[in-house]
Amino acid sequence: MKTLETLGRIGESPEGMQRLAFTPADVEGRKYVTTLMTRAGLEVRVDPAGNIIGRVEGKEPGLSAIALGSHTDTVPSGGKYDGALGVLGAIECVQSLRDQSITTRRPIEVLDFTNEEGTRFRRWLYGSRAMAGVLESDDLTAVDDEGVTIGRRLEDVGGDISRIQEARRQKGDLCAYLELHIEQGPVLHQAGIPIGVVTAITGRIALEVSIIGFANHAGTTPMTNRRDALLTASRIIQAVNSIATHEEICRVGTVGMAKVSPNAENVIPGRVDLSVEFRDVELDRLHEAVHRLNGICQQLVLDKDFEIKVSELGVTKSAPMSPRLREIIEKASLGLGLNTTSLPSGAGHDAQSMAEITDVGMIFVPSVDGISHSPKEYSDPEACANGANVLLNSLLAIDGEGD
Ligand code: HGY
Ligand code: MN
Ligand code: MN
């Protein structure tokens, strides 16, 4: 709890956590994590994708490592537990083993992934996708809203875009990846169940929708002679919501960002850029949602004489969790007298990238009132300790496999 509170003060503001990837607060948070890793006896390195990797060798050389991790970047005005609990909980496990002079058979790696949230470049799970070898070409040339390239930002956190392929780990490097995370939803808290064993992580399609109308004088332009980009954008926002609610084409649809130009109260908006994301565990439902949105935009172009561009920024496949690790997490929880339930994750996680190269398992602990990506995000000390203990005992069970 002490390390969570200390990290929770790095990048804290009255509106919540502002420790966005590549900001000075992110750099400071990474320094703190590195100090804790070193104190726990981990050998620390930063890979070309900026991922912080702490490693301690095991008793038996040549065995593949067990990895534990998550991320420490936050969304704007976010909470103190999303990601942080998983990284600090993992360090706590290694620290506890060291305090009790327990050396595992296998090496252990603690991972703090770069830019999991993807807020600035609209490309999430960045560090874990680099480690899994699933970055796409646009991921290497992305430019943020200040016109700075991802390559330049990576330098600020010790990365090197020219060598980013070296961040890739091969299948077999790791024997398992475990991630402790807050649920970020209401299920565990409402049911009063302390541990969630994740079954699968949702898929997601991220889009940019640009509506180009015509900026004109708000006072002199007749209502019948306007191409108001924000008015048309409001119809698209309504459509995104309806695709997921009334039409039930996919599980959720959200417009989280809207950039209005020229953004002046006395100018009819000439252009609006919207972020759109759809999520569902079924990829074909995501493609169907995009197809439906494209149809609605084409109709608006015909009716309203607008230019509307829909560009796909990224598709993230859903990932099933390993049955082997689900059983280990389940047994570790029950062994600690902690009830569990199995549930899917509506949030995305680095574990879904790591599923490309190793078995993955996720441990959820309750989020009070299911709130997350908000300064109101809270998990109580007992929940955090339960999660860390299940993580530690799952780690030991994996290490004891094959005996
Ligand atoms: O957006 C998400 O689902 C995660 O918090 N990155
Ligand atoms: Mn998040
Ligand atoms: Mn997270």
Side-chain angles (χ1 to χ4, degrees):
M1 293 319 289
K2 196 155 65 5
T3 57
L4 263 173
E5 277 145 29
T6 305
L7 184 60
R9 284 192 291 275
I10 300 175
E12 185 179 29
S13 80
E15 295 75 38
M17 296 307 294
Q18 312 296 350
R19 199 171 57 240
L20 276 66
F22 311 116
T23 57
D26 184 28
V27 172
E28 194 188 338
R30 285 161 161 270
K31 280 197 190 105
Y32 179 59
V33 164
T34 302
T35 308
L36 294 176
M37 284 187 175
T38 309
R39 193 186 305 161
L42 291 158
E43 194 73 33
V44 184
R45 70 183 176 93
V46 177
D47 74 10
N51 297 312
I52 305 175
I53 300 167
R55 182 179 168 103
V56 61
E57 294 308 325
K59 279 187 289 202
E60 295 177 25
L63 291 180
S64 55
I66 302 167
L68 318 173
S70 194
H71 62 97
T72 51
D73 63 307
T74 73
V75 293
S77 304
K80 296 177 187 277
Y81 300 84
D82 175 2
L85 177 63
V87 174
L88 298 178
I91 296 171
E92 201 56 42
C93 288
V94 175
Q95 183 67 58
S96 299
L97 291 171
R98 181 182 170 90
D99 295 347
Q100 298 169 57
S101 312
I102 297 173
T103 306
T104 48
R105 293 170 57 225
R106 292 178 175 277
I108 300 172
E109 290 197 6
V110 175
L111 308 175
D112 181 356
F113 290 111
T114 303
N115 191 24
E116 187 272 351
E117 299 290 0
T119 308
R120 186 178 246 151
F121 288 94
R122 311 284 308 284
R123 296 172 193 289
W124 72 347
L125 312 183
Y126 194 87
S128 54
R129 286 191 295 121
M131 188 173 285
V134 293
L135 286 180
E136 291 161 14
S137 53
D138 289 355
D139 288 312
L140 309 181
T141 54
V143 176
D144 68 14
D145 43 12
E146 293 167 23
V148 179
T149 63
I150 184 82
R152 175 67 201 72
R153 295 294 185 193
L154 274 175
E155 288 166 16
D156 292 343
V157 296
D160 177 354
I161 196 91
S162 67
R163 294 190 301 115
I164 200 156
Q165 301 309 336
E166 294 169 32
R168 179 172 191 165
R169 308 291 290 270
Q170 299 307 322
K171 279 192 183 214
D173 273 6
L174 302 171
C175 83
Y177 170 76
L178 287 174
E179 182 163 354
L180 166 62
H181 206 285
I182 54 171
E183 181 202 334
Q184 300 182 291
V187 174
L188 297 177
H189 179 69
Q190 277 172 359
I193 295 175
I195 296 292
V197 184
V198 178
T199 55
I201 302 173
T202 187
R204 179 181 88 149
I205 281 193
L207 309 165
E208 170 102 340
V209 179
S210 301
I211 302 105
I212 294 110
F214 187 78
N216 210 336
H217 196 295
T220 57
T221 310
M223 295 310 284
T224 52
N225 187 21
R226 293 182 173 210
R227 285 192 283 145
D228 180 339
L230 191 50
L231 181 63
T232 295
S234 70
R235 292 192 171 93
I236 292 172
I237 294 167
Q238 191 63 46
V240 168
N241 182 278
S242 149
I243 284 168
T245 49
H246 307 308
E247 300 174 59
E248 296 184 325
I249 295 177
C250 62
R251 184 172 56 81
V252 288
T254 311
V255 174
M257 298 162 76
K259 190 173 150 216
V260 181
S261 313
N263 202 36
E265 63 184 336
N266 55 355
V267 181
I268 300 166
R271 175 180 176 129
V272 175
D273 295 295
L274 299 176
S275 73
V276 174
E277 61 144 70
F278 293 116
R279 299 196 190 195
D280 199 290
V281 75
E282 303 292 338
L283 194 56
D284 57 7
R285 284 161 62 94
L286 292 176
H287 287 309
E288 201 188 323
V290 175
H291 177 72
R292 176 77 178 110
L293 181 65
N294 276 319
I296 291 165
C297 291
Q298 276 148 26
Q299 194 55 49
L300 283 168
V301 167
L302 291 175
D303 296 352
K304 307 273 175 206
D305 182 22
F306 276 85
E307 187 192 345
I308 300 178
K309 285 188 291 182
V310 179
S311 27
E312 205 168 274
L313 294 181
V315 183
T316 308
K317 286 187 308 182
S318 63
M321 297 294 100
S322 143
R324 159 186 163 238
L325 296 185
R326 284 173 56 182
E327 194 185 332
I328 282 176
I329 295 168
E330 186 98 29
K331 275 194 186 145
S333 307
L334 299 176
L336 288 162
L338 297 170
N339 267 344
T340 68
T341 185
S342 295
L343 73 168
S345 174
H349 297 286
D350 290 310
Q352 70 196 108
S353 309
M354 297 301 281
E356 299 284 336
I357 57 172
T358 188
D359 281 357
V360 298
M362 283 201 79
I363 302 159
F364 275 176
V365 294
S367 295
V368 172
D369 296 333
I371 296 170
S372 181
H373 282 189
S374 154
K376 293 186 171 36
E377 180 181 283
Y378 180 67
S379 291
D380 62 41
E382 189 187 2
C384 295
N386 286 341
N389 281 323
V390 170
L391 183 65
L392 177 56
N393 285 274
S394 301
L395 158 69
L396 291 171
I398 295 167
D399 194 48
E401 274 182 322
D403 276 350

